[in-house]
Amino acid sequence: MDITVPLLGEVEEVTLVRWLVQVGQEVQAGEAVAEVEADKAVFVIEAPAAGRLAEALVPEGGRVRPGEAIGRLEGT
Amino acid sequence: MKEVAHVALGRAPYRPVWELQRRLAALRRQGHIPDLLLSLEHEPVITVGRQGGAGHVLAPQEVLDRLKVEVVEVERGGDVTYHGPGQLILYPILDLRDHGRDLRRYVASLEEVMIRTAARFGVEAHRRPGFPGIWQGLKKLGSVGVHVRGWVTMHGLALNVDLQPNLFSLIVPCGLHGVEAVSLAQLAGRPIPMEEARAAALEVFSQVFSVRLTPLDREALERWGT
């Protein structure tokens, strides 16, 4: 399952400022997994389901558009 | 009209209010409390946001120690900033799903609150594309820095009303070299009492967000916050 940046309104692009979990780490549904920032506003990305972070698709400092995936979760 | 409970915290050190905000934001996310607005001034403090580098703090540690100015790394957006007496802080704890669900518009609304508040004192301030906050030329009059989780906001805006003392010299404001902090009082050319600025900003806030502010006493807030 993909972890995506939600639609944030008029925001066209955000910077992934930090991953809060490491690849391989297990997360609970709703757990904070990453922070993105646009216009001095940090938005916390939460895990859409429980699972293990299988892959980080965007590195810290990378740019991403709302609606796009930043990582992939594998079921446990 | 939507209601937002307003709590005046007076002058407060940074960390306890930061912790209070985090507890309140969590309670707001769980739907246990209504939308809130905290208004206050901080004791002198330097905070470093998620885009910040410690290199943007210019003053050596012994100077910071002597002035009793702590450097705190926080989860808001933006770089380094200074808060202190004479600066009006507004921390809205809002569920943005009830206020347009738009991160950019929220930041723009906080800027609008500061622009219209400045206008009440005859001071014309503006936005600078790509550099959030409010400005007069290259001088920065007010800052925004926001944290949102589950669409609930914390942190907010800081408007320089009449800085006493002005310790922005300890840092590179926003990490932008050449930026000078300026206050409403300097630009208006007269002293501006904090109470006057606060009353104006609260009135403007309720207009910009189309809400009615209802006063809430601090004790009720602290009962929620613990």
Side-chain angles (χ1 to χ4, degrees):
Chain A
M1 179 183 280
D2 282 346
I3 301 169
T4 55
V5 176
L7 298 179
L8 300 172
E10 291 169 17
V11 177
E12 286 167 13
E13 204 178 38
V14 295
T15 302
L16 195 150
V17 284
R18 66 172 67 177
W19 277 101
L20 304 170
V21 293
Q22 309 289 320
V23 171
Q25 199 177 321
E26 307 235 332
V27 296
Q28 300 300 311
E31 192 175 328
V33 294
E35 292 174 349
V36 298
E37 176 167 349
D39 290 342
K40 304 233 175 181
V42 162
F43 192 95
V44 177
I45 308 295
E46 297 174 343
R52 190 178 63 86
L53 181 63
E55 197 182 356
L57 301 170
V58 178
E60 290 185 353
R63 306 280 291 172
V64 60
R65 289 169 169 275
E68 288 180 350
I70 56 164
R72 206 163 45 77
L73 282 179
E74 271 176 4
T76 50
Chain B
M1 188 176 270
K2 292 183 195 108
E3 291 198 359
V4 173
H6 165 247
V7 190
L9 293 179
R11 187 177 295 184
Y14 191 79
R15 279 183 189 277
V17 176
W18 182 27
E19 283 155 17
L20 178 68
Q21 281 193 81
R22 290 155 99 169
R23 292 193 298 269
L24 292 170
L27 290 168
R28 183 72 193 94
R29 281 198 295 278
Q30 293 155 14
H32 294 321
I33 60 171
D35 282 339
L36 286 175
L37 176 65
L38 312 179
S39 72
L40 63 143
E41 286 172 85
H42 276 306
E43 301 293 353
V45 67
I46 291 168
T47 66
V48 183
R50 285 297 190 238
Q51 299 282 7
H56 293 148
V57 180
L58 298 172
Q61 191 59 49
E62 59 263 32
V63 172
L64 299 176
D65 290 344
R66 183 157 40 82
L67 294 170
K68 297 191 170 64
V69 177
E70 196 181 357
V71 178
V72 185
E73 202 180 297
V74 293
E75 67 278 72
R76 65 166 168 76
D79 200 297
V80 61
T81 198
Y82 164 78
H83 300 304
Q87 185 189 61
L88 173 67
I89 303 275
L90 295 184
Y91 289 146
I93 312 285
L94 302 180
D95 187 336
L96 290 185
R97 288 174 297 190
D98 297 334
H99 301 275
R101 205 184 174 108
D102 188 318
L103 206 53
R104 172 158 291 167
R105 269 177 46 203
Y106 177 61
V107 170
S109 296
L110 295 180
E111 290 170 336
E112 190 64 25
V113 169
M114 292 192 285
I115 288 170
R116 289 197 208 170
T117 301
R120 297 262 183 122
F121 296 93
V123 171
E124 199 178 314
H126 53 83
R127 295 185 178 86
R128 270 178 80 193
F131 300 96
I134 68 159
W135 303 78
Q136 198 180 73
L138 288 176
K139 293 181 176 166
K140 195 163 193 194
L141 182 58
S143 303
V144 290
V146 171
H147 178 91
V148 184
R149 179 167 181 188
W151 286 106
V152 171
T153 62
M154 61 178 280
H155 297 288
L157 68 81
L159 178 65
N160 301 328
V161 175
D162 197 349
L163 299 168
Q164 303 290 348
N166 183 348
L167 296 181
F168 270 98
S169 55
L170 300 174
I171 61 164
V172 179
C174 325
L176 299 169
H177 291 274
V179 166
E180 194 188 321
V182 71
S183 70
L184 212 47
Q186 279 173 286
L187 295 176
R190 66 174 175 95
I192 295 179
M194 177 54 74
E195 266 321 295
E196 218 179 291
R198 204 172 64 92
L202 292 174
E203 209 176 297
V204 169
F205 182 94
S206 64
Q207 289 167 1
V208 169
F209 284 88
S210 302
V211 296
R212 195 157 66 86
L213 293 179
T214 54
L216 181 75
D217 67 59
R218 202 180 161 148
E219 287 68 33
L221 182 81
E222 275 162 10
R223 277 197 301 277
W224 284 344
T226 50

